[in-house]
């Protein structure tokens, strides 16, 4: 794989960035009256308006050339064909198989994996039907009314986001909770008002060794056994989602109540697998299937649409343009939909864990910027908080604005007001407000600079008709593929996470020093860590 900085398109993009610098978005819109219609693309129910970006036709054609130089087309095919593109873990990254049609054929090592995928989906559907229908009874014979997912990272963020996002499609008789943090506050607060006799825990862990999840699972086990008086209750109140069948059995969960997935599903790409079980319990198998068809529609668009009209490719290239040629550090995602409040948190993991890398695929250090810092909050709330910096701060932060043409809760003029805020913000960010315009409004001279807006601040706008399981699935697939496009262009492995693995081992080294009765041997730690441990030991509860 060539180093991106060696390609001739990279060098020309650098020169082009310098040449384009004096031309603001105000100039570009004035010069091209049809820009807003022209720089837009559609796929899988989403419309992307990318006209409010600091790009010209020349920028775009150089970016497409760069994608071609980086071998993007071949990498897309390699991913869909199940090649082991996650080279540091020697695995395929085949989340697209999780949403493949029943009659599709996708092979890993010569074996078609689609039948297995559908076998698990069918088992999930029948289990969900049983629980939702009140036919799965707890140990004391009461139907399940509460479902608690125990998982963290990829085994939490996806189902937690989706359960929030698709709440309008949920069975409101079921209470869904997500416990991820090893901080006992999470478990305590989220189980405080639940009746153990009506509570089902979904222990969701690919490896079934993750400290946080296993600690919470053991606490949950005690909570159930103490309340219901017998170990036998575990069988009716726990199910597992994991690739590690033996560890699940060791915990005491029957294989019949365990839902598997595969090593070619990365945690943060796993929402379409059994990791989505709690979501399926909430919204039902049919809506879950609709979400998968949304994912599938975007997969098809990504694989087939020419780069010029390909939403993930466009978003990916624009992000590279800002990070590598205009020096931006972060990107914000602002969903104008309260149901998507947790989307930024989900995208933080998806993007930053995938592309927060500083070595290339061949193990050599990169000397180009890779994954951005991703952050955001729903609009309009963000407008009353950090938008000040977006409009008038010294940093350039490209933003994605996401909205829907129809509200799921049409109430008075709320939706028009919400969407007018979205449109107004992107317009103001792009065009700003010149000192002359401010003066023309009669603003006192000493306030003119304070009340002027430089503009030229780029945004993408993504619009779909309605927040449905399909449009939601397509949106997540759009970002999954955008991240993959960028990982390809930066020549990094977007599917490993060695930084996370380190964290998993480091804490285990310190835990014994916090709890032993003797003054522990702390020589292996630095003086700061030693002092902190000593202070903690002196002050902690006996
Ligand atoms: C995701 C990461 C990571 C993982 C969690 C939970 O891509 O690998 O966030 O999902 O560490 O891991 P387990 O599912 O194995 O408990």
């Amino acid at each position: 794989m060539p180093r991106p900085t060696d390609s001739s398109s990279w060098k020309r993009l650098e020169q082009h960035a310098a040449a384009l610098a004096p031309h603001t978005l105000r100039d570009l819109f004035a010069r091209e009256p049809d820009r807003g219609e022209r720089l837009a693309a559609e796929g899988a129910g989403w419309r992307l308006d990318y006209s409010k970006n600091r790009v010209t036709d020349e920028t775009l054609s150089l970016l497409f050339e760069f994608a071609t130089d980086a071998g993007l087309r071949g990498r897309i095919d390699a991913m869909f064909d199940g090649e082991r593109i996650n080279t540091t873990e020697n695995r395929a990254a085949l989340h697209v198989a999780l949403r493949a049609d029943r009659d599709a054929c996708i092979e890993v090592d010569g074996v078609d994996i689609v039948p297995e995928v559908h076998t698990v989906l069918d088992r999930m559907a029948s289990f969900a039907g049983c629980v939702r229908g009140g036919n799965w009874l707890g140990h004391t014979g009461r139907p399940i009314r509460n479902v608690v997912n125990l998982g963290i990272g990829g085994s939490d963020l996806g189902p937690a986001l989706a359960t929030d996002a698709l709440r309008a499609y949920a069975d409101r008789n079921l209470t869904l909770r997500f416990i991820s943090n090893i901080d006992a506050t999470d478990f305590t607060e989220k189980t405080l008002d639940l009746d153990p006799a009506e509570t089902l825990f979904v222990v969701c862990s690919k490896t079934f060794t993750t400290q946080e999840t296993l600690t919470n699972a053991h606490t949950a086990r005690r909570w159930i056994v103490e309340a219901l008086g017998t170990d036998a209750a575990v069988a009716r109140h726990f199910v597992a989602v994991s690739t590690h069948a033996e560890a699940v059995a060791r915990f005491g969960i029957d294989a019949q109540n365990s839902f598997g997935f595969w090593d070619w599903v990365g945690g943060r790409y796993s929402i379409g697998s059994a990791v989505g079980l709690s979501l399926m319990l909430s919204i039902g198998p049919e809506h879950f299937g609709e979400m998968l068809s949304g994912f599938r529609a975007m997969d098809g668009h990504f694989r087939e649409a020419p780069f010029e009209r390909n939403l993930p490719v466009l978003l990916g290239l624009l992000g590279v343009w800002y990070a590598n040629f205009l020096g931006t550090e972060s990107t914000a995602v602002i969903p104008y939909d309260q149901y998507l409040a947790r989307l930024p948190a989900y995208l933080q993991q998806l993007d930053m864990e995938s592309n927060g890398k500083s070595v290339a695929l061949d193990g050599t250090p990169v000397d180009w910027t890779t994954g951005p810092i991703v952050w955001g909050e729903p609009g309009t709330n963000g407008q009353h908080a950090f938008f000040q910096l977006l409009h008038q701060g010294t940093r350039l932060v490209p933003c994605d604005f996401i909205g829907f043409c129809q509200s799921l809760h049409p109430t008075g003029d709320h939706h028009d007001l919400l969407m007018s805020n979205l449109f107004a913000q992107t317009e103001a960010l792009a065009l700003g407000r010149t000192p002359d315009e401010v003066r023309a409004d009669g603003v006192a001279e000493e306030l003119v600079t304070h009340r002027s807006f430089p503009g030229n601040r780029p945004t993408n706008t993504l619009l779909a008709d309605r927040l449905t399981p399909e449009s939601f699935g397509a949106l997540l697939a759009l970002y999954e593929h955008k991240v993959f496009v960028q990982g390809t262009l930066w020549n990094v492995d977007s599917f490993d996470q060695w930084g996370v693995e380190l964290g998993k081992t480091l804490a285990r080294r310190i835990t014994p020093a916090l709890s032993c009765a003797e003054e522990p041997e702390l020589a292996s730690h630095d003086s700061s860590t030693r002092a902190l441990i000593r202070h903690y030991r002196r002050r902690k509860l006996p």
Side-chain angles (χ1 to χ4, degrees):
M1 197 62 63
R3 293 174 76 76
T5 42
D6 291 343
S7 70
S8 69
S9 45
W10 181 282
K11 299 202 171 66
R12 276 180 294 136
L13 277 162
E14 278 176 339
Q15 288 157 4
H16 174 70
L20 191 64
H23 303 276
T24 63
L25 280 169
R26 215 177 240 259
D27 302 336
L28 298 177
F29 274 99
R31 212 187 296 155
E32 304 166 44
D34 63 343
R35 189 176 165 90
E37 290 297 331
R38 211 163 49 78
L39 299 190
E42 293 190 357
W46 283 93
R47 177 184 174 86
L48 165 66
D49 175 326
Y50 60 99
S51 62
K52 295 191 182 85
N53 280 289
R54 292 191 192 177
V55 293
T56 60
D57 290 344
E58 188 186 350
T59 324
L60 291 167
S61 63
L62 281 170
L63 287 169
F64 296 132
E65 211 179 298
F66 176 48
T68 305
D69 288 349
L72 179 60
R73 178 58 67 198
R75 293 286 291 171
I76 295 173
D77 289 342
M79 177 174 75
F80 278 88
D81 291 343
E83 284 181 32
R84 292 172 185 262
I85 58 170
N86 176 359
T87 47
T88 71
E89 294 182 316
N90 191 26
R91 288 173 186 167
L94 259 181
H95 37 287
V96 292
L98 299 172
R99 47 261 192 169
D101 257 329
R102 218 173 260 279
D103 55 6
C105 169
I106 300 175
E107 293 189 351
V108 172
D109 300 330
V111 178
D112 181 9
I113 54 174
V114 177
E116 283 179 69
V117 166
H118 281 273
T119 302
V120 176
L121 284 172
D122 291 344
R123 284 189 57 227
M124 288 164 63
S126 113
F127 176 70
C130 195
V131 173
R132 289 163 59 86
N135 299 318
W136 177 277
L137 302 180
H139 180 70
T140 62
R142 303 244 291 275
I144 295 300
R145 297 172 63 88
N146 316 306
V147 174
V148 182
N149 190 81
L150 305 176
I152 195 164
S155 298
D156 167 71
L157 288 160
L161 161 67
T163 302
D164 260 9
L166 300 178
R167 198 169 292 285
Y169 302 87
D171 175 351
R172 303 284 181 154
N173 293 317
L174 273 183
T175 297
L176 265 287
R177 299 269 161 86
F178 289 82
I179 298 178
S180 53
N181 202 329
I182 201 162
D183 182 347
T185 299
D186 206 10
F187 187 90
T188 308
E189 285 296 336
K190 293 202 182 122
T191 52
L192 210 54
D193 56 345
L194 302 186
D195 180 347
E198 300 180 338
T199 300
L200 176 75
F201 288 95
V202 178
V203 187
C204 191
S205 175
K206 181 174 171 179
T207 54
F208 226 77
T209 56
T210 304
Q211 191 187 52
E212 291 89 337
T213 302
L214 269 287
T215 304
N216 280 324
H218 284 286
T219 300
R221 198 180 202 284
R222 279 195 301 279
W223 187 77
I224 286 288
V225 170
E226 273 164 27
L228 304 183
T230 165
D231 277 346
V234 171
R236 304 302 299 169
H237 293 270
F238 283 83
V239 296
V241 173
S242 185
T243 56
H244 195 337
E246 297 99 80
V248 171
R250 238 177 286 132
F251 184 84
I253 296 175
D254 199 285
Q256 279 176 348
N257 302 331
S258 177
F259 300 85
F261 59 115
W262 307 272
D263 74 352
W264 42 262
V265 185
R268 54 195 175 277
Y269 296 89
S270 65
I271 167 82
S273 72
V275 168
L277 182 63
S278 27
L279 168 68
M280 192 192 272
L281 285 162
S282 172
I283 63 171
E286 209 169 302
H287 290 313
F288 192 88
E290 289 161 11
M291 179 188 78
L292 293 184
S293 63
F295 270 97
R296 186 160 61 242
M298 187 57 80
D299 294 343
H301 168 81
F302 178 48
R303 189 152 199 199
E304 274 142 36
F307 287 174
E308 292 74 11
R309 294 201 302 275
N310 192 311
L311 269 56
V313 171
L314 286 163
L315 280 187
L317 285 171
L318 288 163
V320 165
W321 170 238
Y322 292 114
N324 298 97
F325 302 97
L326 279 79
T328 59
E329 287 285 320
S330 81
T331 182
V333 180
I334 326 282
Y336 276 67
D337 191 302
Q338 192 58 33
Y339 280 125
L340 295 181
R342 297 209 59 194
L343 182 67
Y346 170 84
L347 293 180
Q348 276 178 335
Q349 184 196 27
L350 180 70
D351 202 320
M352 294 164 77
E353 204 166 276
S354 297
N355 288 337
K357 309 284 162 69
S358 53
V359 288
L361 277 171
D362 63 5
T364 56
V366 302
D367 55 6
W368 52 92
T369 295
T370 62
I373 299 158
V374 179
W375 57 286
E377 274 289 318
T380 57
N381 297 4
Q383 290 174 207
H384 299 265
F386 55 81
F387 270 50
Q388 166 62 38
L389 181 148
L390 297 182
H391 283 290
Q392 291 186 310
T394 53
R395 294 166 197 279
L396 185 64
V397 183
C399 305
D400 290 352
F401 281 69
I402 300 171
F404 296 92
C405 300
Q406 300 159 21
S407 171
L408 294 179
H409 303 291
T411 306
D413 55 359
H414 279 254
H415 201 63
D416 282 350
L417 294 173
L418 174 72
M419 293 304 286
S420 60
N421 271 280
L422 185 162
F423 300 134
Q425 289 296 328
T426 63
E427 187 170 39
L429 285 163
L431 303 185
R433 198 157 170 67
T434 65
D436 283 347
E437 287 168 342
V438 174
R439 275 186 202 103
D441 276 352
V443 169
E445 194 54 35
E446 66 272 21
L447 286 180
V448 166
T449 51
H450 292 281
R451 300 198 46 183
S452 301
F453 290 73
N456 206 23
R457 307 203 165 201
T459 57
N460 292 306
T461 301
L462 279 162
L463 293 181
D465 286 350
R466 226 171 139 75
L467 176 58
T468 61
E470 286 97 333
S471 62
F472 174 73
L475 180 68
L476 294 199
L478 166 59
Y479 277 100
E480 284 179 350
H481 297 320
K482 170 209 161 169
V483 165
F484 174 62
V485 166
Q486 297 190 327
T488 299
L489 301 173
W490 288 320
N491 194 18
V492 297
D493 187 336
S494 299
F495 300 106
D496 64 11
Q497 55 283 313
W498 298 106
V500 180
E501 307 304 327
L502 176 67
K504 288 186 177 184
T505 40
L506 281 186
R508 277 192 214 112
R509 275 182 43 211
I510 291 192
T511 310
L514 302 187
S515 54
C516 69
E518 311 288 307
E519 169 70 358
E521 178 51 68
L522 295 177
S524 65
H525 299 289
D526 62 84
S527 62
S528 160
T529 309
R530 280 203 301 271
L532 289 167
I533 292 174
R534 288 209 175 97
H535 179 81
Y536 175 80
R537 282 170 53 90
R538 281 195 299 272
R539 310 285 300 175
K540 69 178 267 190
L541 291 177

